[in-house]
């Protein structure tokens, strides 16, 4: 049976030259459950100690529908202020462009302010990757590109990415940018397979974008599947997990990493042990047969 290659120990973020770990850790849920800066610091250390040095946050993380906008960034900012040496040990990514109560705002004034506010909350002078969280269809990509190019030129942002963009939206923004995009962040998991066939990953490979997979466990659903289809996906993952002595979640991360676009799964757990466990995904081997078995289970119908 033909084996797919193992993921490399590091990947390069698009064409940026920035080396990142092939697995990221996400902080969407960091500012929940009364977590203190000390708790957050323990999670940051758990990720770094496991070799997971690519950290993803967003200005809206912490927002619960009523307030809390910026809370996850601010908590990480406290961690970085208390232990300044940590900043150099991570590749720090954040996002902006969702402004409650409005859905999305990528007007020039708002974007400039959003980037500055993120740096202030994070207590850093730059981030390594700044991503537009969701597209604002009322913003002209040329105007957005001008603001983002300025942010890179000023040194506030080292590289640029998008999230939840269609292929055409990605291409349009990239067309107007001098500093081309280096990443895209769609939802991808064994339960969410649309980007394998809708051209997003093909475009990422063509443009040299690093795909970052959000909710790689389907927001946790993969750990407790409910529908017959989701249980079938879990069973296909379990076959490989059991054969290689890893958990289903590790098998899920590694399934994404086996794709030739170089997908970086963003671990969403806020549990130190589960974050560290994710690093085991680097050593899971997939055959074409086993990989496609997961895809077919997710499709629910055989391949043609
Ligand atoms: P996920 O990995 O699909 O789900 C994580 C959830 O699963 C956590 O609540 C976790 O709880 C739970 N879980 C249960 N058992 C687990 C196990 N054995 N191992 C690991 N997790 C387990 O990811 P996600 O949190 O939905 O998203 C991951 C990251 O993607 C976010 O942090 C964020 O950076 C990014 N994201 C981006 C967007 C976007 O629009 N760009 C949207 C959503 C998320 P415990 O914490 O208790 O382990």
């Amino acid at each position: 049976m033909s084996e797919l290659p193992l993921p490399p120990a590091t990947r390069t973020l698009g064409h940026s030259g920035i080396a990142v770990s092939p697995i990221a850790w996400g902080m969407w849920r960091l500012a929940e459950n009364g977590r203190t800066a000390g708790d957050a610091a323990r999670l940051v250390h758990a990720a770094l100690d496991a070799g997971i040095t690519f950290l993803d946050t967003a200005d809206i993380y912490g927002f619960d529908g009523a307030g809390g906008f910026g809370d996850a960034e601010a908590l990480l900012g406290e961690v970085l202020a208390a232990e300044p040496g940590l900043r150099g040990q991570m590749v720090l990514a954040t996002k902006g462009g969702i402004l409650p109560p409005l859905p999305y705002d990528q007007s020039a004034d708002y974007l400039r302010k959003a980037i500055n506010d993120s740096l202030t909350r994070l207590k850093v002078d730059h981030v390594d990757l700044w991503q537009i969280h969701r597209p604002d269809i009322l913003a002209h990509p040329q105007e957005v590109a001008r603001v983002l190019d300025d942010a890179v030129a000023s040194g506030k942002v080292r590289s640029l990415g998008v999230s939840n963009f269609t292929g055409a939206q990605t291409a349009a923004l990239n067309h107007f940018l001098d500093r081309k995009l280096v990443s895209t962040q769609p939802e991808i998991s064994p339960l969410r397979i649309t980007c394998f066939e809708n051209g997003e990953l093909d475009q990422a490979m063509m443009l040299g974008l690093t795909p970052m997979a959000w909710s790689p466990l389907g927001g946790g659903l993969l750990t407790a599947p409910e529908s017959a289809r989701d249980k079938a996906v879990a069973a296909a993952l379990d076959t490989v997990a059991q054969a290689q002595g890893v958990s289903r979640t590790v098998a899920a991360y590694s399934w994404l990493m086996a794709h030739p676009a170089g997908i970086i799964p963003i671990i969403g757990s806020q549990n130190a042990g589960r974050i560290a466990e994710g690093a085991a995904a680097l050593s899971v081997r997939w055959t074409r047969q086993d990989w496609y078995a997961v895809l077919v289970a997710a499709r629910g119908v055989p391949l043609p």
Side-chain angles (χ1 to χ4, degrees):
M1 291 211 279
S2 78
E3 285 200 327
L4 301 175
L6 284 172
T10 55
R11 293 197 189 274
T12 306
L13 196 52
H15 51 78
S16 66
I18 300 171
V20 292
S21 53
I23 308 174
W25 176 54
M27 287 168 274
W28 175 21
R29 306 167 197 267
L30 184 67
E32 291 178 2
N33 300 326
R35 235 170 245 116
T36 64
D39 299 330
R42 278 186 283 282
L43 296 180
V44 170
H45 277 284
L48 296 179
D49 290 351
I52 299 169
T53 55
F54 191 15
L55 270 54
D56 181 68
T57 187
D59 56 10
I60 199 170
Y61 292 170
F63 183 68
D64 61 5
F69 185 94
D71 280 3
E73 283 187 337
L75 198 52
L76 182 61
E78 283 184 58
V79 173
L80 294 174
E83 210 178 328
L86 285 177
R87 175 67 185 93
Q89 297 175 43
M90 64 179 68
V91 174
L92 179 56
T94 194
K95 321 178 195 73
I98 302 180
L99 172 63
L102 262 182
Y104 314 123
D105 191 345
Q106 278 133 49
S107 60
D109 286 348
Y110 178 73
L111 280 187
R112 276 189 214 101
K113 179 171 161 30
I115 292 171
N116 287 337
D117 288 354
S118 282
L119 297 183
T120 302
R121 280 189 294 265
L122 289 163
K123 302 191 198 316
V124 297
D125 60 5
H126 73 278
V127 291
D128 301 298
L129 174 66
W130 193 86
Q131 306 154 93
I132 300 185
H133 207 153
R134 285 188 179 275
D136 172 8
I137 57 178
L138 296 178
H140 194 297
Q142 188 167 25
E143 186 182 9
V144 174
R146 198 175 317 121
V147 178
L148 297 186
D149 275 330
D150 287 350
V152 177
S154 69
K156 293 177 182 175
V157 164
R158 283 177 75 198
S159 66
L160 300 166
V162 291
S163 181
N164 304 303
F165 271 43
T166 65
Q169 288 164 338
T170 302
L173 178 61
N174 214 40
H175 169 77
F176 290 112
L177 280 168
D178 289 334
R179 320 286 182 134
K180 300 297 184 196
L181 296 169
V182 304
S183 68
T184 180
Q185 189 180 132
E187 180 179 5
I188 324 175
S189 77
L191 299 178
R192 171 82 181 205
I193 56 168
T194 46
C195 70
F196 292 117
E197 296 186 68
N198 73 1
E200 276 182 75
L201 291 175
D202 307 286
Q203 179 189 48
M205 290 186 277
M206 197 171 72
L207 297 179
L209 310 179
T210 298
M212 301 166 69
W214 68 258
S215 290
L217 305 178
L221 188 59
L222 208 45
T223 63
E226 288 161 12
S227 68
R229 177 258 190 180
D230 294 358
K231 285 178 183 165
V233 173
L237 288 166
D238 286 348
T239 300
V240 170
Q242 282 158 16
Q244 300 195 41
V246 295
S247 66
R248 181 189 304 159
T249 55
V250 165
Y253 303 141
S254 68
W255 185 77
L256 297 173
M257 294 162 78
H259 188 277
I263 296 172
I264 295 184
I266 312 174
I267 295 178
S269 179
Q270 308 298 300
N271 170 295
R274 289 172 174 173
I275 296 168
E277 186 198 12
L282 277 163
S283 54
V284 178
R285 290 214 84 122
W286 284 88
T287 62
R288 276 196 151 64
Q289 287 83 349
D290 288 339
W291 198 94
Y292 274 109
V294 175
L295 187 80
V296 168
R299 284 167 59 97
V301 289
L303 287 164

